Amino acid sequence: MRRVALATRADLPSWEIDDRFLHAALRELGCEFDCPIWTDPEVDWSSYAMVLIRTTWDYTDHVDEFLAWAERVASCTRLLNPLPILRWNVHKSYLRELEREGVPLAPSLWLLANDRSIDLPARLAERGWSRGFIKPLIGACASDTLRFRVDQPDQLNAAIAHVQHLLIERQQDLVVQPYLDSVEREGEVSAIWLAGQLSHGVRKVPVPGDYRVQDDFGAHDEPWELDAGARALCERVFVGLDRVLARLGLGGPLPYARVDMLRGADGLLVLNELELIEPSLFFRHRPEAGRDLARLLVD
């Protein structure tokens, strides 16, 4: 039986319990596994037949180091998801590529680091947005995001300052979109896919008045049944992803993927994120999914 590494981070939050279902399933299958910390220089990654990236949730603060680590691991053993996908998915510009493949997104204003010519109020006025949302193109857990009202000078000025801070001082690319207030009522809905097959759905709901759907901010989650619109959107996402995989010279399907969706002002779902690096897979809402993934690893 192969020895498997489930890469994690130091100081994993105590509320993380999902992967315990995967751990239990691997034990039942007789698969030896460890949970080494990706930043630990003492780990011999070549000693594992496979390294599955799981809870490396601090990588967004150390992207260059993370990709260098992933390259070292991929050079000595099997890395999942594969290195080319990590490089593609680490920067949210991948969303633009999927949009070109016909995947619907919220209307987006893409801004590049160090661009000092951006007139944010003018760009927002052109689009007629009343509320806006700022998000860096490298980041997780709602870090450095900001929602604001265009018609309130204090909020608009804060947004202008935030954009300049991210673009100039932090040298980050970012996207500005209309704020989809459906997140406050419906939350963000996610579809978890294993080996190209739909496993289960989850709805993540923020605390009242907030937009952040992560456990870190007190949000809660619950099982969610995908409707026809969600299934259709996922199908379009995976058609686009298949083309990306072909371009990267990779066969599919990937062992795991999570499609995060928000409802737009017109009532239709749009893609918010396609999580392919270290997504929570919410096994607590379908424990048998942990067994499904475990079987993929040992087959």
Side-chain angles (χ1 to χ4, degrees), residues 101-117:
E101 295 289 351
V103 177
L105 308 179
S108 301
L109 171 60
W110 306 93
L111 306 179
L112 298 179
N114 208 36
D115 187 343
R116 299 172 183 270
S117 66

Side-chain angles (χ1 to χ4, degrees), residues 27 30 33 53 63 71 81 122 131 145 147 157 159 172 183 186 189 223 253:
R27 292 189 189 99
F33 70 93
I53 299 175
V63 170
E71 186 172 357
N81 280 326
R131 301 184 74 182
T145 58
R147 63 179 171 181
N157 288 334
Q172 293 189 11
V183 70
E186 183 178 2
V189 292

Side-chain angles (χ1 to χ4, degrees), residues 88-105:
W88 179 76
N89 196 233
V90 75
H91 191 281
K92 292 178 177 56
S93 57
Y94 74 80
L95 291 167
R96 302 188 75 176
E97 186 169 348
L98 291 176
E99 185 177 38
R100 289 192 290 269
E101 295 289 351
V103 177
L105 308 179

Side-chain angles (χ1 to χ4, degrees), residues 156-203:
L156 180 58
N157 288 334
I160 294 169
H162 192 61
V163 165
Q164 292 301 310
H165 171 68
L166 294 179
L167 290 180
I168 308 303
E169 298 177 32
R170 297 279 295 276
Q171 290 289 293
Q172 293 189 11
D173 302 329
L174 56 92
V175 62
V176 183
Q177 297 174 318
Y179 176 67
L180 302 181
D181 60 6
S182 63
V183 70
E184 299 178 27
R185 302 183 301 275
E186 183 178 2
E188 180 183 68
V189 292
S190 297
I192 290 84
W193 295 72
L194 302 176
Q197 300 296 317
L198 176 64
S199 173
H200 54 291
V202 174
R203 186 168 78 106

Side-chain angles (χ1 to χ4, degrees), residues 22-297:
L22 173 60
H23 300 169
L26 288 170
R27 292 189 189 99
E28 290 176 5
L29 293 171
C31 180
E32 182 181 354
F33 70 93
D34 297 318
C35 298
I37 297 169
W38 74 273
T39 53
D40 185 350
E42 301 300 319
V43 176
D44 178 9
W45 299 99
S46 67
S47 67
Y48 298 101
M50 177 189 304
V51 175
L52 185 77
I53 299 175
R54 286 306 308 124
T55 47
T56 60
W57 293 334
D58 56 345
Y59 88 89
T60 54
D61 295 326
H62 314 278
V63 170
D64 291 341
E65 294 90 337
F66 178 78
L67 291 177
W69 166 81
E71 186 172 357
R72 290 194 301 272
V73 172
S75 71
C76 66
T77 189
R78 187 182 182 197
L79 178 67
L80 296 175
N81 280 326
L83 178 61
I85 279 294
L86 305 187
R87 290 172 173 155
W88 179 76
N89 196 233
V90 75
H91 191 281
K92 292 178 177 56
S93 57
Y94 74 80
L95 291 167
R96 302 188 75 176
E97 186 169 348
L98 291 176
E99 185 177 38
R100 289 192 290 269
E101 295 289 351
V103 177
L105 308 179
S108 301
L109 171 60
W110 306 93
L111 306 179
L112 298 179
N114 208 36
D115 187 343
R116 299 172 183 270
S117 66
I118 297 299
D119 184 341
L120 184 63
R123 303 291 287 275
L124 296 172
E126 290 170 1
R127 289 160 173 77
W129 299 348
S130 60
R131 301 184 74 182
F133 188 74
I134 300 166
K135 179 166 62 175
L137 295 189
I138 294 179
C141 203
S143 61
D144 290 319
T145 58
L146 180 72
R147 63 179 171 181
F148 63 96
R149 290 188 176 275
V150 178
D151 61 355
Q152 295 191 12
D154 57 338
Q155 293 192 23
L156 180 58
N157 288 334
I160 294 169
H162 192 61
V163 165
Q164 292 301 310
H165 171 68
L166 294 179
L167 290 180
I168 308 303
E169 298 177 32
R170 297 279 295 276
Q171 290 289 293
Q172 293 189 11
D173 302 329
L174 56 92
V175 62
V176 183
Q177 297 174 318
Y179 176 67
L180 302 181
D181 60 6
S182 63
V183 70
E184 299 178 27
R185 302 183 301 275
E186 183 178 2
E188 180 183 68
V189 292
S190 297
I192 290 84
W193 295 72
L194 302 176
Q197 300 296 317
L198 176 64
S199 173
H200 54 291
V202 174
R203 186 168 78 106
K204 299 164 286 182
V205 184
V207 298
D210 204 346
Y211 63 88
R212 296 169 296 183
V213 298
Q214 294 81 11
D215 294 304
D216 311 62
F217 307 108
H220 73 273
D221 46 76
E222 60 193 30
W224 177 72
E225 189 72 26
L226 274 69
D227 58 18
R231 290 174 179 271
L233 176 54
C234 287
E235 181 177 345
R236 294 171 76 174
V237 169
F238 283 101
V239 168
L241 180 59
D242 284 345
R243 291 173 181 157
V244 171
L245 292 173
R247 178 176 60 78
L248 295 175
L250 297 172
L254 298 174
Y256 61 74
R258 196 183 79 202
V259 182
D260 294 339
M261 298 165 276
L262 291 173
R263 199 166 301 280
D266 59 1
L268 300 177
L269 289 170
V270 295
L271 178 64
N272 193 39
E273 301 274 358
L274 174 60
E275 297 280 4
L276 303 177
I277 298 179
E278 33 64 278
S280 174
L281 298 174
F282 294 97
F283 293 135
R284 61 185 177 272
H285 295 307
R286 186 175 179 266
E288 56 267 38
R291 294 193 292 272
D292 294 340
L293 182 55
R295 283 192 289 267
L296 288 175
L297 300 181

